Amino acid sequence: MEPLFTPEQLAEIHAYHQPYYIRAAVEPFVRLALLLLLLGVLVQPFYRLATAAAAGLERRLGFLRTAPVSRAFFSAMDRLWGEPGWGAAVIFALFTDLFVTLVYLPVDVWFSYTLEHRHGMSTQTPGTFAWDLLKGRLIAAFAIAALVIGLFGLARRLRHWWLVLGVPVALMLLVSSALDPYRGRIYFDQKPLAEGPVRERITGLMKQADIAFADVMVEETSVASRRLQAYFAGQGPTRTIVLNDVILKELSEDEVLAAVAHEAGHVQEPKWPARIASSLALVALLFALDRLLRLSASRGWFGTHRFADIRSLPLLSLLFFFVMVTARPISGAFSREREREADRYALRLTGDVDAFRRMLVKAARVNKMNPEPPRWVVLKGMSHPPIGERLASLPPP
């Protein structure tokens, strides 16, 4: 069998991945340093700035509190928060997020735009890249505002807020994947796969696998990236098979079918145990946040005067950072095993080892996958086994 990459291709792949490995090694320490800087130095200045900004907005836009349409919104926010000040709290949270975003911005632009273009992986223009970046920040800002109002607002009003908030959010997590087909359309246009042999064969394969689905969609990602991709989105009546336009260009029908068969393996996974465990972990995390908020209030850390003071937010971020650093290697190990099982399922479903091997080889070449990444990178939390390992595990054709 011919080698996966020529020496020249392998050298380029190593050059492409090396900066990512350096970032993976350094980033946890940088993130920790930024959080400690926020906690040790910037909490009070940001809080004063947020309070002043909220007061200025109140003077200029105070008429909205009595306007016929908007007064109901302000009244609801005041009741949820329990006292004036929710505007300053939201602005404080946005300031802290903006600080971290601006610190990371040059690095993010270099990695996501410059490096990707240098190695031929991105097709974005500066304008489309900036627009996607802005969309991401706007979505993040909305999520942060909702977090502040929901978490801190409830915590200020209810003693067992972590249970009141955790149980419905956990239940929402159990069914949130039903919305996945619609989230993907925020960044890329999608259209139904045209009638023809590929669609017919995918439909037949799903009938063989006994997997119901709503549609097969083509996601037009080539406007931003040259990577090929296939995935299932949604569940039940919203389950959708999504193929990007690159995969349809780069792979043959048999190879597309092999990729879909692999993704079908994830549909057949026993998902409820993991979803229930995630929901319980969320409730446990909220309880830990409650304990941390109470400790911060009792000690008067960061100038806090009462329980669930917004100035405790960077402390909660620090706890979340440690939870994620600890959990990522564990979740990565489970994810890699799920990917191995999905490979085995695809081979059982199609019985075409040769097409599956060709699909993996082409995906590795187009997506510039490192066949043998450093072991510490894998153990740190890679979601997929290295492509060299996946190919080596295939049975002979």
Side-chain angles (χ1 to χ4, degrees):
M1 186 175 67
E2 65 174 313
L4 180 57
F5 297 110
T6 66
E8 293 77 13
Q9 290 172 328
L10 201 56
E12 183 186 358
I13 285 171
H14 287 158
Y16 171 63
H17 284 278
Q18 192 62 31
Y20 284 103
Y21 297 154
I22 294 172
R23 181 175 184 174
V26 171
E27 186 168 24
F29 301 100
V30 173
R31 182 72 64 172
L32 178 60
L34 286 176
L35 288 171
L36 293 177
L37 177 63
L38 276 168
L39 287 168
V41 178
L42 299 177
V43 165
Q44 295 293 16
F46 279 3
Y47 185 73
R48 289 194 293 269
L49 187 61
T51 303
L57 289 173
E58 181 74 24
R59 287 193 298 271
R60 291 173 174 79
L61 303 176
F63 67 91
L64 293 176
R65 286 188 169 275
T66 57
V69 176
S70 56
R71 63 184 179 187
F73 168 78
F74 282 94
S75 176
M77 291 299 100
D78 289 342
R79 284 198 301 271
L80 178 59
W81 197 253
E83 63 183 15
W86 60 268
V90 170
I91 293 173
F92 172 81
L94 293 177
F95 277 169
T96 58
D97 177 68
L98 180 62
F99 166 72
V100 175
T101 298
L102 292 177
V103 170
Y104 269 91
L105 185 60
V107 176
D108 288 338
V109 170
W110 190 85
F111 274 92
S112 301
Y113 185 83
T114 306
L115 183 64
E116 294 291 299
H117 274 270
R118 180 177 297 172
H119 291 276
M121 298 303 294
S122 176
T123 59
Q124 283 188 301
T125 66
T128 58
F129 175 79
W131 174 234
D132 281 352
L133 204 63
L134 178 60
K135 281 192 288 189
R137 296 324 307 165
L138 291 175
I139 293 170
F142 178 80
I144 289 168
L147 171 70
V148 168
I149 297 299
L151 191 153
F152 283 85
L154 281 177
R156 296 160 74 91
R157 294 177 61 82
L158 301 172
R159 179 170 182 80
H160 297 295
W161 66 273
W162 55 272
L163 199 57
V164 173
L165 179 64
V167 170
V169 172
L171 292 174
M172 287 176 58
L173 283 177
L174 295 177
V175 297
S176 63
S177 61
L179 300 176
D180 287 347
Y182 311 105
R183 296 192 191 104
R185 298 173 191 179
I186 295 175
Y187 290 97
F188 299 110
D189 291 334
Q190 293 184 0
K191 61 183 180 182
L193 177 65
E195 296 293 338
V198 175
R199 189 180 186 98
E200 290 173 4
R201 294 186 68 185
I202 290 175
T203 301
L205 188 70
M206 294 302 97
K207 186 176 295 186
Q208 178 184 340
D210 194 25
I211 296 176
F213 65 97
D215 206 348
V216 185
M217 303 296 291
V218 179
E219 191 169 58
E220 298 177 350
T221 64
S222 60
V223 298
S225 171
R226 291 192 170 91
R227 287 180 174 83
L228 54 81
Q229 187 179 29
Y231 62 94
F232 279 66
Q235 62 183 11
T238 69
R239 181 179 294 131
T240 305
I241 303 170
V242 182
L243 308 171
N244 74 345
D245 51 353
V246 181
I247 200 172
L248 293 173
K249 176 183 177 182
E250 296 288 343
L251 301 189
S252 69
E253 286 183 20
D254 288 342
E255 293 157 2
V256 169
L257 217 64
V260 173
H262 169 87
E263 298 305 323
H266 293 304
V267 176
Q268 301 288 24
E269 292 169 358
K271 291 185 172 60
W272 285 106
R275 289 174 179 172
I276 292 171
S278 299
S279 300
L280 293 175
L282 172 65
V283 175
L285 176 61
L286 290 175
F287 177 74
L289 295 181
D290 176 79
R291 298 297 96 182
L292 195 58
L293 286 172
R294 294 189 185 282
L295 182 61
S296 176
S298 65
R299 301 288 178 86
W301 292 342
F302 323 115
T304 56
H305 301 305
R306 59 160 295 170
F307 175 68
D309 191 299
I310 192 60
R311 282 169 284 190
S312 302
L313 179 61
L315 184 63
L316 304 190
S317 299
L318 183 64
L319 172 63
F320 185 74
F321 165 80
F322 283 118
V323 169
M324 292 304 297
V325 167
T326 304
R328 193 171 290 121
I330 300 171
S331 64
F334 279 106
S335 176
R336 290 192 297 276
E337 184 52 40
R338 289 195 298 271
E339 294 298 332
R340 295 184 188 99
E341 180 53 38
D343 283 353
R344 293 188 285 266
Y345 176 88
L347 293 175
R348 292 194 301 269
L349 183 61
T350 65
D352 194 342
V353 178
D354 186 55
F356 195 83
R357 178 180 283 106
R358 293 198 313 270
M359 180 273 292
L360 289 181
V361 168
K362 288 185 179 180
R365 290 172 177 170
V366 173
N367 293 356
K368 286 186 167 58
M369 300 178 186
N370 188 348
E372 296 181 355
R375 191 60 186 167
W376 68 267
V377 173
V378 177
L379 296 177
K380 187 174 181 288
M382 274 184 60
S383 61
H384 289 61
I387 194 68
E389 177 186 318
R390 294 174 70 183
L391 285 167
S393 68
L394 295 179

